[in-house]
Amino acid sequence: MRSFYSSAIFFSGTYVLIAFLGSIVSFQFGERVLELPSFTNLFVLEFLISFIWSLVLLYYFYYKQYWITFWVLTVSVIASLFQAFTTYNFLNTLEYTDYFVTAILLFYGTSFLYGISLIFSEAGKRRWLKIAGIFTCSLGLIWFSASIWRFMLPVNGMIDDMTKWSTIVGSLVPVLFILNFRLERITASKSHSDCSDTLVRAMNVFVIVALVFSLFFGYKITNESISLYSNPTANLTDHQRELAKPFEARTYVNSSNEKLPYRLLKPLNYDSTRKYPLIIWLHGSTARGTDNVKQIPGSLLAKLILEEKNRAKYPAFVLVPQCPPESSWGGAANFPAVDSLVVENILALEMEFNIDTDSRYVAGYSMGGYGTWHLICTRPNMFAAAIPIAGEGNPVLAQNIVDLPIWVFHGAKDRNARVKGSRDMIQAIKNAGGNPRYTEYPDKGHNIWKNIYETQGLLDWLFAQKRD
């Protein structure tokens, strides 16, 4: 078995390399990793290596007759296949499916049980396996709890930070198995079965292939990361740049030198003697950054206004700020809020242009939906109407917006932002004496762009609202 343990050591080292790289990239960029073209490929490679590594462990546990650990890991491997499939689907659609939460909780739950088996079964008699079990059990519990919080409770930046750090620690757990295999190799017999010979040859081939691909994608994603870090506009597509062209690129800087990049669409044939409404659109979390472009493609109302017939019928200013990385518009716990900067930005524009202060409208999607609720609840007299989409507010503050015209949109099957968040706000406003409009799509999830885009009378309703 010595050759098996030698191959297992090198294979485990390759897995540590690719897993650690993936965790560092995710830690550095957070949700912005989705901007890296090679990230999905890196995810697939990491999963394949992890899967084969699990098969190596299964063979080891089978050979050592650690039956409890063998069967628990078998279940965990099956759960990992389910989880990998749902995660890959998310990376391609950016929307959680109905079974995404189940897959995640199942995987983390079985990982916790796997850790327990390493501690308390026969495998726990080996020191490094027991320590690996302690780490695996602890990490499984952290990830399981963090997932429950993420999907059942409001957005929380502290939970995201905890998950990032635990992922880095998790990527190093195979080092403990390397130490165990090293001890096994010292005491192992030189003889081994034909099955072991075949397995070792297969492992050696896969180690070489995995190492080549790891170096290739590692080099590629490192370059993409450096490029994105040094030049925020490096990974922007031509389509994104084209959509942003009609909007003037600007940056608001306040007296404390705090900066907020934003795009501004002016009314067609702007007349400085005439007052115009102002629409503020707050984007979702994936558009955070400093490039001052990504926030435009997902700006629903901005794109609606940009249509030739609407731009002539509804002359208005459209302000689309870009939220800095690791920040929020407000309403998200433990994320620094830049809502005050947005308000300062609005007031600065009103000093520069002839804007009707009785016709300020705010709307936003996902993180922007949270921000929309936050802005109108904390500054109820500032806006004439609001359109929170797939967001969540604080029902305690609902009494502040009883008289504000609001039209809320949400998908009943939304797994990214709880539909309960919109339902609770609507009910709280009604209980306080308000009469908000609410549209819920029973068969839709987080991506409800097309449905809202095709909503008849949305702009007519919005521009009919005036602040008393």
Side-chain angles (χ1 to χ4, degrees), residues 9-10 15 32 34 37 47 72-73 81 114 128 201 244 274-275 303 305 317-318 322 335 339 373 389 405 413 430:
I9 288 171
F10 285 113
Y15 178 38
R32 296 186 71 199
L34 300 176
F47 168 72
V72 174
L73 179 58
L81 287 169
Y114 170 52
W128 293 115
R201 284 194 293 269
R274 176 185 172 186
K275 286 191 173 184
K303 291 164 75 173
I305 292 295
F317 285 92
V318 182
Q322 184 175 34
F335 279 108
D339 54 314
W373 283 118
I389 303 170
K413 295 184 177 180
K430 287 182 177 180

Side-chain angles (χ1 to χ4, degrees), residues 194-236:
D194 293 337
C195 178
S196 180
D197 281 335
T198 303
L199 178 61
V200 168
R201 284 194 293 269
M203 284 173 59
N204 289 339
V205 171
F206 196 83
V207 165
I208 295 173
V209 173
L211 191 57
V212 169
F213 276 96
S214 297
L215 292 174
F216 173 75
F217 284 114
Y219 173 77
K220 197 170 183 181
I221 204 165
T222 299
N223 281 344
E224 291 171 359
S225 300
I226 293 173
S227 177
L228 181 61
Y229 190 81
S230 59
N231 181 11
T233 65
N235 292 328
L236 295 174

Side-chain angles (χ1 to χ4, degrees), residues 308-325:
E308 188 175 348
K309 61 178 182 179
N310 290 332
R311 201 167 181 195
K313 184 177 180 181
Y314 309 107
F317 285 92
V318 182
L319 166 64
V320 189
Q322 184 175 34
C323 188

